[in-house]
Amino acid sequence: MADAVTVTERASVVRADNPGIMTLEGTNTWILREPGAARSVVVDPGPDDAAHLDAVLEVAGEVALVLYTHHHGDHTDAFATFGERTGAPARAVSERFCSGAPPLVDGEEIDVDGLRLEVVLTPGHTRDSACLRLLDEPSVLTGDTVLGRGTTVVAHPDGALGPYLDSLAKLRQLVEEGTAGRLLPGHGPVVDDAAAVLDQYVDHRQERLDQVRAAVEAGRTTPRAVVEHVYADVDPVLWDAAELSVRAQLEYLQEA
């Protein structure tokens, strides 16, 4: 478990002790609070680990609201326990992770003791992925839509590449508008140059699509055959995840 780190005047992070291939150093639990306010908003409590939740609550104090960026267990496994410990309502795009409050809606504004957030639905990594924009500073919590390093998995069938590319474009537009210069991800370090990283994400996806298209044209007709060709430079331990990503890419190409 990592110590809490203050990132901006409204955002602090506690990293869970669940490192792995898919979680990088661990899940980032974000604690948001308007300066001078007593209550906080906690985003993605993470794994159901008592030591981690103790560390989160030490920073959070009284929790007014819990938000989830998407349904994956490394973000939501503490849903029941954290709800019991805080008594706070919980919200997500998926009703499964809502308690005492309705699902999140695209474009809605949330105000907790002066802390103002905008919900930005960003499907693609999962169907229920959402980002949260801080309205009084140029920061966006991105969950797994954009990571602090590397690229995220778009795993078929829950993940879909078309919506994901649209979501990246949506975030890039926020950058152009000057409201999203900093990304606060669900895993990995803070992204201070949002424009550069988002452009890299799009370039990476387009490069992979070109490689998958070429592999299919060369006669590699199954997802596994495409993986073995396109992801030959990737650790084979990641090939199962890569195959799900390839399935999403093939679906996208078929629909294009």
Side-chain angles (χ1 to χ4, degrees), residues 86-252:
T86 64
R91 300 187 66 192
V93 173
S94 171
E95 290 187 3
R96 179 183 172 193
F97 296 104
C98 293
S99 176
L104 298 173
V105 176
D106 192 35
E108 75 167 298
E109 293 188 12
I110 297 170
D111 189 320
V112 175
D113 298 347
L115 176 76
R116 301 191 308 137
L117 302 170
E118 180 188 17
V119 177
V120 183
L121 297 194
T122 50
H125 172 66
T126 62
R127 297 180 189 276
D128 65 345
S129 287
C131 294
L132 301 162
R133 183 169 73 90
L134 287 159
L135 290 174
D136 294 307
E137 63 177 70
S139 300
V140 179
L141 283 75
T142 57
D144 285 4
T145 298
V146 180
L147 305 180
R149 60 179 176 84
T151 57
T152 197
V153 173
V154 178
H156 182 272
D158 188 29
L161 188 55
Y164 184 68
L165 292 173
D166 291 342
S167 293
L168 292 179
K170 197 174 188 180
L171 292 173
R172 192 64 174 82
Q173 181 61 39
L174 294 179
V175 173
E176 290 297 314
E177 295 169 358
T179 61
R182 183 191 303 112
L183 307 181
L184 311 180
H187 303 279
V190 171
V191 174
D192 289 315
D193 190 346
V197 169
L198 287 166
D199 288 346
Q200 289 169 8
Y201 264 54
V202 173
D203 290 346
H204 171 75
R205 293 294 167 183
Q206 293 300 334
E207 180 182 357
R208 285 300 193 203
L209 278 171
D210 289 343
Q211 292 170 339
V212 169
R213 187 183 294 109
V216 171
E217 291 173 351
R220 294 172 175 87
T221 57
T222 68
R224 194 65 175 190
V226 172
V227 167
E228 292 172 357
H229 178 71
V230 173
Y231 291 82
D233 59 339
V234 174
D235 189 331
V237 76
L238 294 172
W239 279 8
D240 286 345
E243 184 171 340
L244 296 177
S245 182
V246 164
R247 289 181 183 274
Q249 292 172 81
L250 290 172
E251 181 179 70
Y252 176 80

Side-chain angles (χ1 to χ4, degrees), residues 41-56:
V41 174
V42 173
V43 181
D44 291 344
D48 193 4
D49 175 81
H52 174 64
L53 299 183
D54 286 346
V56 170

